[in-house]
């Protein structure tokens, strides 16, 4: 582990008792792929990570588990018997490496008969920094004790049983003693790492619906994955007191105001505080009237608003757009000379170019580029993404195959950052001190071997830069053969 890293990252995922997993520990590198047969627990591992990430973002336990098919009871290991009070549950945890050294977080979650966090343990620097325990089942609270190392070795207080206690510590710990400052540093490290996760599961059927007005059948999934939304959405508060973060693929969910006991808060580090012009009240230089357009310009988990995001990213960074075009050229059948957006009009896509056209230039930003405006008030319905096929003409991207569409979306995610994705990074921590983690279930789904290897190769190049990490699942581990820096973990072996 690299404890000198300035960018907190989850370096170990523990599935102590979760679905099909018992006593499983998964070491996570910058680029980790999980492989194994159907039912080996690949998707379940990503789902456990996503649950931790959403709890780290300040979401309630019920909301963190709402994407789980079958509800909280589906997370209980098969064959687990209830205790004398009829209680069953599951246990998950992780280790986060960073400036404070390795910090461990472990949770015991009761799924039946009531959903609640009955035990939490935060450890680091050889100390137990936080423990919680359910002492009175009739109250919606747990008794917490955190390290103080002052006149009293620990401080005790109740915390809500439906929130991650670690994310609430900045609201409770004064930071006056060395022990308290250690607790705050460890808690911040864990929250920063968990809130830097983005769940990405491109859905070709909904991506096509944007361009055609109707959904088509997709390639199907592996089942049980953490689909639906970015891990850090919805809950939490800015320091200015403004709540609200974009929701998942289906829309937006308002944030909950912070307050006593930290309910709805993602800790003192705030929510989705995108840095921008000072004094605007809205980070990133967007005014209140542009909230919907801003959210539409941030890629959602299902990538159903891909055209609008492409219009934005091609304008903001021609160099990265050129890299995207080059990658798409390798993955798609037939020639690809550019990728741009045009206004979506009834009856077809024949319209003036609204996006930047990037071609086969010699430099990294080869081809032509120009400023463009997204028509209307923003929204994926306003523009259509188009491939320039040279002499073959234009091809709307919704006419691409399922594998090509998923490749395009995942490549875009790897080439962008938190400001372009519907996720909830810690706004008060500089982006240089954060490291985005992409969770990609079924990374090679619908793709042939050539496309999957090209996508993994792109991931290798991006993770080498240190700003992005990737945890994905694949059916065929040979997609990583011969590629440097890829860790493949075989489950169910």
């Amino acid at each position: 582990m690299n404890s000198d890293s300035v960018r907190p990252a989850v370096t170990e995922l523990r599935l102590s008792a979760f679905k099909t997993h018992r006593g499983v520990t998964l070491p996570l590198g910058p680029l980790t792929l999980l492989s194994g047969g159907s039912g080996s627990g690949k998707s379940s591992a990503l789902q456990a990570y996503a649950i931790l990430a959403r709890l780290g973002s300040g979401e309630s336990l019920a909301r963190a588990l709402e994407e789980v098919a079958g509800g909280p009871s589906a997370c209980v290991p098969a064959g687990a018997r209830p205790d004398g009070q009829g209680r069953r549950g599951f246990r998950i945890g992780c280790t986060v490496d960073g400036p404070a050294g390795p910090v461990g977080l472990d949770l015991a979650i009761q799924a039946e008969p009531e959903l609640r966090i009955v035990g939490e343990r935060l450890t680091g620097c050889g100390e137990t920094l936080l423990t919680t325990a359910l002492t009175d089942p009739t109250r919606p609270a747990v008794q917490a004790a955190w390290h103080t190392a002052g006149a009293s070795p620990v401080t005790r207080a109740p915390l809500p049983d439906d929130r991650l206690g670690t994310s609430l510590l900045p609201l409770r710990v004064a930071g006056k003693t060395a022990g308290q400052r250690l607790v705050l540093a460890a808690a911040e490290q864990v929250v920063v790492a968990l809130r830097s996760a983005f769940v990405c599961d491109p859905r070709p059927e909904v991506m096509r619906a944007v361009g055609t007005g109707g959904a088509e059948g997709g390639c199907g999934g592996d089942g049980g994955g953490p689909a639906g939304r970015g891990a850090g959405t919805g809950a939490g508060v800015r320091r200015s007191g403004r709540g609200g973060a974009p929701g998942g693929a289906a829309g937006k969910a308002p944030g909950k105001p912070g307050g006593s006991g930290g309910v709805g808060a993602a800790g003192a580090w705030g929510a989705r505080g995108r840095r921008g012009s000072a004094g605007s009240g809205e980070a990133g230089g967007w005014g209140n009237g542009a909230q919907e357009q801003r959210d539409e310009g941030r890629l959602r988990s299902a990538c159903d608003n891909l055209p609008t995001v492409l219009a934005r990213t091609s304008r903001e960074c021609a160099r990265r757009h050129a890299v995207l075009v080059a990658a798409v050229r390798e993955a798609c059948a037939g020639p690809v000379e550019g990728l741009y957006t045009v206004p979506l009009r009834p009856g077809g896509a024949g319209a003036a170019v609204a996006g930047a056209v990037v071609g086969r230039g010699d430099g990294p930003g080869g081809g032509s580029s120009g400023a463009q405006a997204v028509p209307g008030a923003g929204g994926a319905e306003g523009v259509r993404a188009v491939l320039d096929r040279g002499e073959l003409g234009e091809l709307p991207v919704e006419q691409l195959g399922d594998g090509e569409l998923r490749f395009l979306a995942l490549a875009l995610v790897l080439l962008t950052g938190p400001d372009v994705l519907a996720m909830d990074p810690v706004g008060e921590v500089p982006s240089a001190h954060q490291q985005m983690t992409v969770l990609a279930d079924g990374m090679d789904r619908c793709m042939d071997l050539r496309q999957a290897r090209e996508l993994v190769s792109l991931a290798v190049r991006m993770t080498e830069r240190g700003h992005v990490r990737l945890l994905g699942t694949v059916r065929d581990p040979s997609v990583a053969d011969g590629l440097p820096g890829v860790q493949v973990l075989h489950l169910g072996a």
Side-chain angles (χ1 to χ4, degrees), residues 226 275 434:
R275 293 159 294 284
Q434 299 188 53

Side-chain angles (χ1 to χ4, degrees), residues 132-168:
T132 69
L134 181 66
T135 57
D136 185 354
T138 65
R139 298 183 57 200
V142 291
Q143 185 67 24
W146 56 83
H147 183 62
T148 303
S152 175
V154 297
T155 300
R156 302 182 189 277
L159 291 178
D161 66 358
D162 69 336
R163 305 278 168 169
L164 184 70
T166 297
S167 69
L168 304 179

